[in-house]
Every structure is written in C-alpha cells, then in structure tokens.
Amino acid sequence: ACVVEKDKPLAFINKNWETVFTLPATIESAGIFSGNLCRVEDNQKKCGFIDATGKIVIQPQYDFVSSFNSGRAVVAVFASKETPGRLHSGGLSQIYEQRQSGGDDGMLWGVIDTKGNEIIKPTDKYIWICRFSNGMATFISKDKKSGCIDAEGKEIFAGRDYSRIGYYKDGFVSFERGGKWGLLNNKGEEIIRTKYNVPLQFFNGLALTQIGFINQKEEVIIKPAFVDVSMPFVGECAAVTAAVG
C-alpha cells in the first residue's frame, strides 16, 4: 500500500506496516500495482511507472496513463504544450463519456508495452482508447469510427454506424445504434441485435437488461424483480435492492 507521511516522500508498506521502499521526492502520487507495475505522477503532472522495487522503469512523460493489462497501457499527451490544466481526474470512464458525446480536448492517444516501447505512438488518429482487456481494447477515432485494436495496435474491426461503443470484456463488446444496445464478438460480428435499453455488460455470463438478467443466448435467467442492481454478478452473487410491499 502507498502511504503519505507529513513532510516525507511517498512510501509503500507491506501488511506489517514495514516500509518496502520510498519514492523520489519528485513523485506526488501513485496508483495500485497491476502486472508488477504501478502508475506514478510527478510534480510536473507527468505520468510514468515504477516496478515492485520502487524503481522508475518508465519515466514520467505522459499526461495520462491507464494501468497495465495484457502487457499494455493506454497513454495520452496534450497535442499542444500550451494546453492548460490536466486530463480528467475521473480517468478513462469520464473521458469515455465525453468522447461518446463528441468531445475532444486535443489529446494524442497511444499504447505502450511494459518496457515503455510505444506500440502506438501518441497520435491524433484516436480521440479515445479504452484500457486493454484480454489483449483487446475499444477505440473511437477522429473520423468517428469505433472498434477494437489488438495488443499490437492492429485494428481488428471498425464501424461508422455505432453511435456508442462499450468496453471490451471476455470476447464481447456492447454497442449502440439508434438508441438501442446490442453485442459484438471479437471479430465485430453482431451476435445480439440492437434492442436493449442499456449496454450489455456481461459478468460471469450474465448481463442486466430491461427484461432481467440474460445470458449470451438471450435466455432470461433471472426475471426483473428488483428496484435496483448496484453491483453485477461477482462469483455467484449480485447486490440488488428489492421492492418493498
């Protein structure tokens, strides 16, 4: 865990509260470890990564970085050095919502590997790239195409007729067309046509829709009987709010 003591540099401790390593004084914040690497941000608001020993292995140089997954991290820099401020503190989720509504704040988006090699050099070709999952990531391009790239930066599929696109997870991507949501597989083939009111996000094989929890064959496994579902299925359980009376 990362801890902060008054007038001291950031440090990581173990479960016995023993200091494992201390970060350089120039590092102002740190994230959580993923794939043995952890995001850090320096006093110039630039982001990089440290390893499990606290060594800076990817120098802070980006205005935004995601955590690593599948050996890849999404990075972004401002197109102009004169661009004021910093990227949204809400991270990819907040950026995603802005991009889906057509927003673009002049960021150049790219992808790096765990050694800091730029698989996709930051470019204005994309206005958003999602965090990787299972070796794939969704994107929105400057010309309003949406689709998926693989770990080598190759576009696996892209389409202009998606009004919104979700996150890649377990081989599937939810997409919206005409105000309704459907599901694509990892080849971009439509396996569930657009007829649902909400994005189809499957957790342990089930997705919440207006007709209840369905599986990927669109069979209703759990009928709608709850006021709210605050957390999808994790393991064998989901958090729900039941109607009273």
Side-chain angles (χ1 to χ4, degrees):
C2 183
V3 297
V4 181
E5 292 186 70
K6 186 177 180 180
D7 300 325
K8 290 184 179 181
L10 294 179
F12 275 75
I13 60 172
N14 60 24
K15 61 182 180 181
N16 296 319
W17 288 86
E18 299 166 334
T19 299
V20 179
F21 57 80
T22 299
L23 296 175
T26 55
I27 301 299
E28 292 190 340
S29 68
I32 60 175
F33 276 91
S34 176
N36 295 318
L37 295 177
C38 175
R39 180 196 66 81
V40 293
E41 183 180 283
D42 68 11
N43 53 11
Q44 301 300 310
K45 306 306 179 187
K46 296 295 184 180
C47 300
F49 289 89
I50 59 172
D51 65 14
T53 70
K55 178 183 177 182
I56 296 178
V57 292
I58 299 176
Q59 291 294 323
Q61 58 191 290
Y62 300 106
D63 294 300
F64 169 84
V65 296
S66 73
S67 56
F68 273 94
N69 190 294
S70 306
R72 300 290 184 266
V74 177
V75 299
V77 295
F78 286 113
S80 170
K81 295 184 182 299
E82 285 71 41
T83 304
R86 58 189 297 185
L87 199 56
H88 306 289
S89 59
L92 278 176
S93 296
Q94 187 172 343
I95 301 166
Y96 166 79
E97 291 300 328
Q98 185 197 44
R99 297 302 185 272
Q100 296 284 25
S101 61
D104 178 9
D105 51 15
M107 300 298 295
L108 306 179
W109 290 82
V111 175
I112 61 173
D113 65 16
T114 54
K115 294 182 179 180
N117 298 314
E118 292 182 338
I119 306 303
I120 298 177
K121 186 178 179 64
T123 171
D124 64 358
K125 178 179 180 179
Y126 300 105
I127 62 172
W128 177 77
I129 302 176
C130 182
R131 180 174 180 265
F132 275 79
S133 175
N134 304 118
M136 301 270 278
T138 51
F139 68 84
I140 303 173
S141 65
K142 192 173 184 178
D143 59 1
K144 304 306 179 184
K145 287 183 180 180
S146 298
C148 267
I149 57 173
D150 65 14
E152 302 307 315
K154 178 183 177 182
E155 292 188 8
I156 304 304
F157 66 86
R160 294 179 182 272
D161 59 345
Y162 311 141
S163 52
R164 303 183 76 186
I165 193 166
Y167 300 92
Y168 182 86
K169 186 178 185 298
D170 299 332
F172 301 97
V173 180
S174 189
F175 74 102
E176 183 188 39
R177 181 193 296 128
K180 297 292 183 179
W181 290 84
L183 197 69
L184 306 170
N185 63 14
N186 58 7
K187 297 179 181 179
E189 299 167 334
E190 296 185 19
I191 61 171
I192 296 180
R193 66 183 181 87
T194 49
K195 59 181 179 181
Y196 295 98
N197 296 337
V198 294
L200 299 177
Q201 299 292 338
F202 284 88
F203 293 87
N204 291 323
L206 296 178
L208 177 64
T209 73
Q210 70 268 27
I211 61 172
F213 282 97
I214 64 170
N215 61 19
Q216 287 156 2
K217 295 181 180 180
E218 294 190 84
E219 298 169 330
V220 177
I221 305 302
I222 301 175
K223 294 180 179 180
F226 309 104
V227 175
D228 183 45
V229 177
S230 56
M231 187 174 72
F233 275 89
V234 178
E236 296 182 351
C237 300
V240 302
T241 301
V244 178

